[in-house]
Amino acid sequence: MVDDDFYMREAIALAHEAWKMGEVPVGAVVVHEGKIIGRGANAPIARHDPSAHAEMLALRDAAQYLSNYRLPNVSLYVTLEPCTMCVGVIMHARVSRLIFGASDAKTGAAGSVLNLFDEPRLNHHAEILGGVLASECGAMLSSFFAERREQLRKMKAVV
């Protein structure tokens, strides 16, 4: 039996690492045959790379591990519902299963704003499970953005 909570907690730990670096706290892990083979923490700011989302980094890591750009029979765990860019890569990599924590009402492409996996004209459809440890994942994001707003408020007060 797959322990979705266990792997999501691994992704949450990576999200905390992103937060420490000043990035939006999103983390992701790729699991193959019960083993984590890819890890990613959001890093677009640090890497000066708009594609350095946690999912992208975890999938790149997994592809290197398997020496293959196709990743069938893997599960991707991510703390936030993927955007359209990440869903596109998930499809191209042929990820079998996507498990995410918090939904993303602004850019979510796995059910919130749109669901690319439901598009019949696209040739790959991963199994999707949303809401795994959603409260914890969502609270982390809310705390991060509250902290950011407070920092901005303090900066404006000084000026």
Side-chain angles (χ1 to χ4, degrees):
M1 183 177 152
V2 177
D3 187 353
D4 291 331
D5 287 3
F6 173 81
Y7 295 117
M8 187 60 72
R9 289 197 189 290
E10 293 293 314
I12 289 169
L14 289 164
H16 282 290
E17 292 299 315
W19 187 346
K20 288 181 200 173
M21 301 302 293
E23 303 278 358
V24 175
V26 179
V29 297
V30 177
V31 176
H32 180 256
E33 297 177 351
K35 179 180 180 182
I36 295 175
I37 62 165
R39 296 175 185 274
N42 235 19
I45 298 168
R47 291 181 181 226
H48 310 289
D49 178 357
S51 71
H53 289 195
E55 304 94 304
M56 301 285 275
L57 298 174
L59 290 168
R60 288 176 187 154
D61 197 23
Q64 290 298 307
Y65 180 88
L66 293 176
S67 298
N68 194 346
Y69 75 105
R70 296 280 197 223
L71 302 171
N73 304 313
V74 305
S75 296
L76 171 64
Y77 292 80
V78 61
T79 57
L80 181 64
E81 179 183 356
C83 68
T84 55
M85 174 183 68
C86 293
V87 167
V89 171
I90 291 164
M91 288 179 165
H92 285 291
R94 306 296 193 262
V95 169
S96 299
R97 193 165 174 252
L98 166 64
I99 303 91
F100 66 87
S103 295
D104 187 345
K106 293 183 180 179
T107 64
S112 291
V113 175
L114 57 112
N115 189 342
L116 290 175
F117 294 105
D118 277 347
E119 174 54 56
R121 294 172 292 180
L122 298 174
N123 68 341
H124 179 71
H125 301 98
E127 175 188 335
I128 302 170
L129 175 61
V132 175
L133 300 180
S135 296
E136 192 171 336
C137 294
M140 178 175 36
L141 287 158
S142 294
S143 295
F144 171 81
F145 286 112
E147 182 180 280
R148 277 282 175 91
R149 286 189 297 276
E150 181 61 19
Q151 289 170 346
L152 286 172
R153 188 191 64 73
K154 286 179 181 178
M155 287 174 51
K156 288 180 182 178
V158 171
V159 175

